Amino acid sequence: MKKESIEVLFTADEISRNLDTLARQIENDYLGQELVMVSVLTGSMMFVSDLARKIDNNKVDVRIDIISASSYGLGTESGDRVNINLDTREHLKGRNVMVVEDIVDTGKTLNFITYLLKYHQPSSVKICALLNKPSRRDPALKDLKIDYLAFPSIEDYFVVGYGLDCAQKYRNLPYVGILSFEE
């Protein structure tokens, strides 16, 4: 049986500080406008809730919606197939939409979601991510643009915590850590 260990990559305090900075950027870009933040469940739920609370509602009228997509199943490797388990509920036509994702890995899930959301004819679709792992990006998606990023790109670690999981475990950790397996 493999033993799991976690090394802290980003502390809860670092996450909070970076979200403060990200919230100010969003306020500047959407000042006086409405913004529908579409959380990609389940991984981004902590990220979107903390980020939304840091945005001044007197500056940006924030709405939150959800979409559920999966490509990992219960493993540690992303598959080729993206499943939409739950679509948005908000009417998005003519509105500013921000897809909020926990981590951009291969980019396949995020690319599929943004394609699906553009079908709803929003006035804009931007991408916001907690983490980016460009070394894993699908070559066809190497130019995928992340408009708002909480942390600089990370190496090819398997990360957990702050909503990120491994077979549904570790989402509740207040930090982001590198998961490793030992014999």
Side-chain angles (χ1 to χ4, degrees), residues 20-163:
D20 284 334
T21 301
L22 203 55
R24 300 302 76 80
Q25 285 179 280
I26 292 167
E27 287 171 357
N28 288 334
D29 292 350
Y30 291 95
L31 187 63
Q33 299 177 56
E34 180 187 71
L35 176 62
V36 180
M37 299 175 82
V38 177
S39 175
V40 181
L41 293 182
T42 300
S44 71
M45 65 186 184
M46 291 184 189
F47 176 41
V48 75
S49 63
D50 286 350
L51 180 59
R53 283 194 300 265
K54 289 177 178 284
I55 297 171
D56 185 339
N57 204 50
N58 293 316
K59 294 182 179 180
V60 180
D61 181 9
V62 173
R63 309 297 169 103
I64 298 175
D65 201 351
I66 57 174
I67 192 167
S68 178
S70 59
S71 65
Y72 274 83
L74 295 177
T76 60
E77 292 292 322
S78 180
D80 286 332
R81 182 178 173 163
V82 176
N83 296 310
I84 298 297
N85 306 316
L86 176 68
D87 201 354
T88 59
R89 296 178 181 169
E90 287 280 329
H91 176 74
L92 301 176
K93 186 173 184 175
R95 298 168 84 182
N96 294 313
V97 173
M98 178 181 291
V99 180
V100 182
E101 179 69 290
D102 54 358
I103 186 166
V104 181
D105 193 300
T106 64
K108 292 176 185 178
T109 301
L110 191 56
N111 186 60
F112 187 79
I113 288 170
T114 55
Y115 175 80
L116 177 70
L117 292 176
K118 287 178 182 177
Y119 174 78
H120 295 284
Q121 301 175 329
S123 63
S124 68
V125 176
K126 301 281 183 163
I127 296 171
C128 178
L130 178 69
L131 301 171
N132 180 34
K133 201 186 306 183
S135 64
R136 300 266 304 153
R137 192 83 73 247
D138 184 289
L141 302 172
K142 66 179 170 48
D143 295 328
L144 182 68
K145 182 180 180 202
I146 303 170
D147 303 284
Y148 302 94
L149 186 59
F151 286 93
S153 296
I154 63 170
E155 297 297 318
D156 189 14
Y157 305 125
F158 193 87
V159 289
V160 295
Y162 197 67

